[in-house]
Every structure is written in structure tokens, then in C-alpha cells.
Amino acid sequence: MLVAAALCPCPPLLVPQVAAGAAPELDAARAACADALGVLAAARTDLLVVVGPAEQSGRGPHPQGTPGSFRGFGVDLDVRLGPGQGTAYDRTLPPSLAVAGWLLERTRWADAPIEGLGVGEPLAPERCVEAGREIGARRERVGLLVMGDASACRTVKAPGYLDERAAPFDAGVARALGSADVAALKALDPGLAYELKASGRAPWQVLAGAAENAGLTGTLLYEDAPYGVGYMVAAWS
């Protein structure tokens, strides 16, 4: 059963070495992510599943220790998804899970076995929910680290330019994440999320499936759009 979840944004800019001189702009988001992971650690889970958006080639499962890198962003920095040794892995982490690996390393996570799951943007809501149900049933005390961004259309300088639908969409997501509203997450429109370039839609709906009947409560720890992209951090317990 799902007993706790941390929800974090997944821009590589969350990693200070990638952000370079702009790193201080996301200090508050980094601090909120650390707080959310603290909630996960306090829950004493016996399995942590990390879920994040991925392209076809980056989908999971990714076992503990799977390597990732930020070299594609011009930074000589490697990470792993939790403690692991050796190089016998048949794939590398997609960027969202590499950011998760960095967060886990930063907080020195060592509380439970870890595995990663990359989910593709086209995955239908009902399939996301079913995947979440399967995750929630795997252990007595399951934790989720859910990576994903809201819309990328909040300003004219945003990656998707300005879309007037973006702010209301993000406000709805923030309410759902902050109140652990499973029904609202299930109801997110995949077509609208795609048009608004919201990478978190599928991972959030995986969370919704895992959280069914779990009785969790939520707290929104951070919400902002510093680059015209909605970044949110929440903790469920």
C-alpha cells in the first residue's frame, strides 16, 4: 500500500551545476524537494518507486543503481538511482529520473530499495492509473517519488510561449497535489496537458492509481513558474 509520496519538478536546472549562474533562482524549490523527501524517509517505506516522464527509449523499469548523466546538458556530472555498483545496466536514466537520482544523492537516501519507472507522455490515463495500482500493491509500505512539471506556457518566454489556459491548468494541479485529490488527478485531460507541454500528467496519474483508498493527505510546499514553466513540490502522507 502507498504510505507516502513526494512530488517534485524535474528540470535539469534543478541541479546547480547545470543551472550555473542561475542556480539561486531555484534554491527555494530545492529546499522544498528536500523537505518532501524528508516526509518519505519518515514513512519508513520498504520500497521506493521513482516515476517520471520519459521518451520511448528511456522508459523503465530501471533497477536500483541505474546510471544517469547530465553530460547532454554540458555538465560532467554522473548520478545513479540510489546506491549501486558496477556497470551491468542495459539502459541509462531519462533526464527526469537523473534529476531524481541527484535529489536522492543530495539527501543521502538509504532507507529502502529503489527502482525507477519512466512513463511516456502518450500513456492513456486509465493505463497510468492501472500502473499505479500495481505499484501500490507490491509491498506493505510503498513510497513514491513522482517527478514532473506542470505547463510550459505561462509566459511569452516560456518553452511553449504564452497560453491563457496554462495558469488555470496549473492552479488546478496545485490544488490537487496540495490536497491529495486523487479524483482530480485522474481527471486531468491528456490532450490539454500535451498542448500545454505539462510533462507531469502521466506520472501524476500513476500516483493517483497508487493512492486509491490509501487515505493520504497532501501539503503543497512550493509553487512557482520562474521560467514560464510550472514547478510544484508537494508531500503526501
Side-chain angles (χ1 to χ4, degrees):
M1 175 179 288
L2 184 71
V3 295
L7 299 96
C8 298
C10 58
L13 289 173
L14 203 62
V15 179
Q17 294 94 320
V18 176
E25 296 178 15
L26 289 179
D27 279 349
R30 295 183 192 99
C33 289
D35 290 343
L37 283 169
V39 171
L40 271 181
R44 300 182 180 275
T45 61
D46 49 26
L47 173 66
L48 175 64
V49 179
V50 183
V51 181
E55 300 294 337
Q56 178 68 39
S57 60
R59 297 182 191 177
H62 301 278
Q64 180 166 320
T66 300
S69 173
F70 295 98
R71 297 175 190 271
F73 301 95
V75 176
D76 186 13
L77 176 65
D78 298 320
V79 295
R80 287 186 181 275
L81 190 65
Q85 301 294 329
T87 58
Y89 298 93
D90 62 358
R91 65 180 71 198
T92 58
L93 297 173
S96 67
L97 298 191
V99 174
W102 178 81
L103 287 172
L104 291 166
E105 287 183 4
R106 183 170 179 257
T107 55
R108 298 190 176 125
W109 179 275
D111 288 15
I114 303 171
E115 64 180 60
L117 176 66
V119 291
E121 185 280 328
L123 195 64
E126 57 271 20
R127 293 191 60 193
C128 294
V129 169
E130 182 58 35
R133 289 174 182 148
E134 293 173 359
I135 290 170
R138 291 186 51 194
R139 295 285 193 280
E140 184 177 347
R141 298 185 64 80
V142 176
L144 275 176
L145 172 54
V146 184
M147 310 297 293
D149 300 337
S151 74
C153 303
R154 292 278 290 272
T155 68
V156 294
K157 294 185 178 180
Y161 196 67
L162 176 64
D163 190 314
E164 298 296 336
R165 300 171 297 173
F169 176 88
D170 288 359
V173 170
R175 284 193 297 271
L177 298 186
S179 60
D181 190 336
V182 170
L185 293 180
K186 287 182 181 179
L188 290 175
D189 182 344
L192 177 60
Y194 175 77
E195 291 174 8
L196 296 177
K197 302 184 183 299
S199 69
R201 189 275 306 172
W204 295 329
Q205 290 181 325
V206 172
L207 167 65
E212 286 179 338
N213 305 314
L216 302 185
T217 59
T219 302
L220 188 67
L221 302 173
Y222 174 90
E223 193 273 323
D224 202 356
Y227 305 111
V229 182
Y231 298 147
M232 301 171 194
V233 181
W236 290 18
S237 62

